[in-house]
């Protein structure tokens, strides 16, 4: 009897230690460990520390160091959605890491110009600080192609022509522009919003990539790299994000199919970020607000920093394609969530239904987009108390 109790206690202790050590992992393990390898081992120097890094456990880690990405050195990347958030941070970190030329897109020309300036400054200071292989590296060249992803085929055609006029060819296309939606799936205004969201998050990125691949002769030249910024909601689903989630599922499905068909010349990295601390949730960083979400009511506490997210995306971009065709970039419980969605769909469905109904209830009662686990548990506790109170009243 005592031995059984001892064994159980040891098992519980071991499980607790394992859970505590695994909880801070913020990407699928291959990417997590490859990122450590790239940022510590390849860089090998002290040039990559970014001041004011607020990533908790990651605070002692290096941000993406200059000269640590020979695979990107001198190349040209076209980033959509580069005027704020993940896209802007990606551009700046790529510039530091040694990319040769950046084409930046979004609708807000002013913001794009200032991101371009920050990229040139980051590139110049990385060159000056002398990271590995940065000796005679020229400062990144930048250009801005402002256009609206909901503008239709003609707008996309001229965006591709403009991008190729500024840069002789594009090596990497980062499809990052996107718009968030948060409202019940039966809301009346979704009838009108659905086509617009599908166009921005799915149809236009696909058409843009197809036009670029044709115009820039990727297949003929036997080269090409597309980075698709999808979402964890492109793998699982949850209450309130029906159309956003559908658009991200569609986006990932198209590009993973394309990658399977054109493996000989095309590299596709589909990135699934979890909640990241950008203005996407409130629409504060973009000229168009998040659909359905009342401003300033999103819960920030469970979100990854935008710097860490961009760093992990770049680590995936420069890693071997066979390992990173789909990567998960998220704090826990997001990682656990996507593992369950991928490998244990029935348990996932059960849990996501419970969490989803709590999230829906909080959205209806308080107008908040609750993602933080303790907030959801607290709400569950309130619901249980309310249920008991009603039960007591009905029996008295
Ligand atoms: N933040 C997260 O938690 C999270 C999680 C998973 C996935 N993602 C994905 O990450 C990507 C970047 O989002 P973010 O978090 O960095 O949000 P953000 O700061 O709001 O950035 C969104 C970007 O998309 C651009 N954009 C939006 N609508 C556009 C349109 N109609 N035409 C052209 N560009 C448009 C915006 O530029 P303009 O306003 O200048 O047009 C902006 O640069 C999105 O695809 C999003 O779905 C984000």
């Amino acid at each position: 009897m005592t031995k059984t109790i001892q064994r159980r206690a040891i098992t519980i202790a071991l499980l607790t230690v394992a859970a505590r050590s695994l909880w801070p992992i913020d990407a699928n393990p291959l990417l997590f460990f490859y990122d450590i390898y790239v940022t510590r081992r390849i860089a090998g120097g002290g040039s990559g520390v970014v001041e004011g890094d607020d990533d908790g456990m990651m605070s002692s880690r290096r941000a993406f160091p200059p000269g640590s990405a020979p695979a990107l050195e001198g190349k040209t990347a076209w980033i959509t959605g580069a005027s704020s958030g993940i896209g802007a941070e990606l551009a700046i970190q790529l510039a530091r890491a040694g990319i040769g030329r950046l084409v930046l897109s979004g609708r807000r020309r002013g913001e794009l110009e200032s991101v371009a300036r920050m990229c040139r400054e980051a590139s110049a200071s990385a060159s000056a600080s002398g990271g590995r292989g940065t000796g005679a590296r020229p400062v990144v060249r930048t250009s801005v192609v402002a256009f609206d992803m909901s503008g239709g085929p003609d707008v996309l055609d001229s965006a591709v022509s403009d991008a190729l006029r500024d840069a002789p060819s594009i090596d990497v296309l980062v499809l990052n522009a996107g718009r968030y939606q948060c409202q019940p799936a039966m809301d009346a205004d979704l009838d009108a919003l659905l086509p617009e969201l599908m166009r921005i998050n799915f149809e236009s990125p696909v058409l843009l990539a197809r036009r670029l691949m044709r115009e820039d002769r990727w297949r003929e030249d036997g080269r090409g790299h597309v980075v698709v910024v999808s979402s964890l909601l492109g793998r699982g689903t949850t209450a309130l994000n029906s159309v956003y989630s559908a658009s991200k599922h569609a986006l990932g499905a198209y590009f993973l199919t394309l990658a399977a068909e054109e493996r000989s010349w095309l590299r596709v990295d589909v990135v699934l970020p979890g909640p990241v601390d950008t203005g996407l949730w409130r629409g504060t960083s973009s000229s168009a607000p998040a659909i359905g979400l009342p401003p300033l009511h999103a819960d920030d506490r469970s979100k990854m920093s935008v710097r860490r997210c961009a760093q992990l995306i770049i680590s995936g971009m420069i890693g071997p394609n066979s390992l990173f065709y789909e990567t998960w970039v998220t704090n826990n419980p997001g990682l656990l969530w996507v593992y369950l969605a991928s490998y244990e769909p029935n348990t996932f469905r059960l849990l996501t239904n419970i969490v989803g109904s709590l999230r829906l209830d909080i959205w209806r009662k308080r107008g908040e987009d609750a993602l933080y686990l303790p907030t959801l548990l607290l709400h569950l506790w309130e619901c249980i108390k309310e249920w008991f109170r009603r039960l007591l009243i009905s029996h008295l």
Side-chain angles (χ1 to χ4, degrees), residues 66-374:
S68 57
L72 296 172
E73 204 103 341
K75 292 206 167 162
T76 299
W78 182 7
I79 306 176
T80 69
S83 53
S84 58
I86 298 171
E89 181 64 25
L90 262 178
I92 293 164
Q93 289 198 27
L94 283 171
R96 289 183 75 242
I99 199 115
R101 189 190 281 266
L102 284 166
V103 182
L104 305 176
S105 287
R107 285 162 302 177
R108 292 167 293 166
R109 182 172 287 280
E111 270 76 1
L112 290 168
E113 301 283 4
S114 77
V115 172
R117 185 175 36 74
M118 286 190 263
C119 290
R120 292 192 295 274
E121 285 167 8
S123 166
S125 81
S127 280
S129 74
R132 205 183 83 124
T134 56
R137 206 179 67 198
V139 172
V140 68
R141 285 196 268 178
T142 55
S143 52
V144 164
V145 175
F147 71 99
D148 189 338
M149 289 290 257
S150 63
D154 292 346
V155 171
L156 300 179
D157 276 343
S158 60
V160 171
S161 310
D162 291 350
L164 288 176
R165 197 189 48 232
D166 291 340
S169 73
I170 305 288
D171 300 298
V172 190
L173 172 65
V174 183
L175 293 170
N176 167 73
R179 196 159 167 209
Y180 183 58
Q181 166 261 342
C182 177
Q183 69 205 134
M186 283 302 285
D187 255 23
D189 55 358
L190 260 190
D191 288 353
L193 293 171
L194 191 146
E196 192 193 340
L197 266 167
M198 290 304 282
R199 182 172 268 199
I200 295 169
N201 290 354
F202 166 60
E203 193 184 309
S204 291
V206 169
L207 291 175
L208 190 77
R210 289 167 59 87
R211 278 164 165 77
L212 176 70
M213 287 188 268
R214 267 199 309 270
E215 290 293 309
D216 202 20
R217 303 174 58 80
W218 281 16
R219 189 205 284 263
E220 291 81 350
D221 296 348
R223 70 188 170 87
H225 186 173
V226 183
V227 178
V228 181
V229 181
S230 174
S231 164
L232 285 197
L233 291 169
R235 170 53 62 88
T237 56
T238 181
L240 293 176
N241 302 124
S242 54
V243 182
Y244 179 75
S245 187
S247 66
K248 294 292 189 182
H249 272 80
L251 186 67
Y254 176 84
F255 279 101
L256 287 174
T257 308
L258 178 71
E261 289 173 4
E262 306 292 349
R263 283 174 53 184
S264 59
W265 58 273
L266 181 65
R267 170 175 180 162
V268 172
D269 304 340
V270 176
V271 188
L272 274 55
V276 182
D277 195 7
T278 70
L280 179 97
W281 302 87
R282 303 163 182 146
T284 49
S285 66
S286 183
S287 46
I291 292 169
L293 190 65
L296 302 176
H297 279 286
D299 198 328
D300 281 335
R301 281 166 291 186
S302 58
K303 292 177 189 152
M304 174 182 269
S305 81
V306 69
R307 180 176 292 156
R308 175 74 183 147
C309 175
Q311 178 187 330
L312 285 166
I313 293 176
I314 297 174
S315 292
M317 281 168 74
I318 61 173
N321 186 214
S322 50
L323 298 182
F324 297 138
Y325 62 89
E326 181 182 299
T327 49
W328 304 338
V329 171
T330 175
N331 288 337
N332 269 307
L335 199 57
L336 192 60
W337 188 89
V338 70
Y339 265 106
L340 283 178
S342 306
Y343 299 119
E344 196 42 63
N346 289 327
T347 314
F348 171 78
R349 188 61 41 217
L350 185 76
L351 290 176
T352 207
N353 283 349
I354 297 171
V355 168
S357 53
L358 290 171
R359 202 173 162 219
L360 188 62
D361 202 41
I362 293 175
W363 188 88
R364 285 201 169 118
K365 287 182 179 152
R366 311 207 299 251
E368 280 176 28
D369 184 7
L371 294 166
Y372 188 53
L373 198 56

